[in-house]
């Protein structure tokens, strides 16, 4: 049983490999990305001026913001040009075919 810090995000079957989806557990806008059957969960809000990263592009593990092209590593949340700047990343779990995020 997961404790209350874990929130249901979406059915795992709805996130295909190489898929990107925006989910809103506890009202927080989070991007879920599945690559090589591994899940990455990062904030949907750019660290620069809060543009929605869901409109950006993903190349490898690099997510590029659609507004001013800041690039983030989805594995760590780090801004590639200054690693001390990060977007939040979230722990995830799959249980009974459902993806949960620790918020
Ligand atoms: S808001 Fe994302 S780069 Fe400016």
């Amino acid at each position: 049983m997961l404790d209350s810090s874990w929130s249901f995000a979406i059915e795992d079957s709805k996130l295909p490999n190489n898929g990107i989806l925006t989910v809103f557990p506890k009202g927080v806008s989070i991007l879920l990305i599945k690559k090589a059957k591994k899940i990455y969960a990062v904030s949907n809000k750019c660290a620069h001026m809060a543009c929605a990263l869901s409109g950006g592009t993903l190349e490898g593990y690099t997510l590029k913001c659609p507004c001013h092209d800041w690039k983030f590593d989805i594995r760590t949340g780090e801004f590639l040009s200054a690693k001390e700047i990060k977007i939040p990343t979230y722990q995830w779990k799959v249980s009974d075919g459902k993806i949960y995020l620790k918020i």
Side-chain angles (χ1 to χ4, degrees):
M1 191 71 185
L2 299 173
D3 70 41
S4 63
S5 64
W6 292 94
S7 295
F8 170 74
I10 196 166
E11 303 285 334
D12 186 40
S13 60
K14 295 202 171 138
L15 181 63
N17 208 26
N18 297 315
I20 304 178
L21 283 174
T22 309
V23 293
F24 302 92
K26 291 188 181 167
V28 182
S29 184
I30 295 173
L31 277 188
L32 282 182
I33 299 158
K34 192 182 277 182
K35 288 182 78 68
K37 299 192 176 152
K38 190 156 184 226
I39 294 169
Y40 301 89
V42 299
S43 170
N44 189 26
K45 204 192 272 186
C46 183
H48 180 218
M49 294 174 73
C51 274
L53 293 167
S54 55
T57 51
L58 184 66
E59 253 184 60
Y61 293 97
T62 300
L63 179 62
K64 184 166 83 172
C65 180
C67 291
H68 315 98
D69 297 342
W70 281 30
K71 292 178 182 170
F72 299 92
D73 187 322
I74 60 167
R75 296 169 292 189
T76 60
E78 290 172 349
F79 173 44
L80 296 191
S81 300
K83 292 184 191 295
E84 65 275 15
I85 298 173
K86 288 185 180 187
I87 53 173
T89 58
Y90 299 90
Q91 290 180 49
W92 58 273
K93 268 185 187 175
V94 176
S95 178
D96 288 334
K98 297 177 169 72
I99 300 173
Y100 292 86
L101 295 172
K102 191 159 198 161
I103 308 285

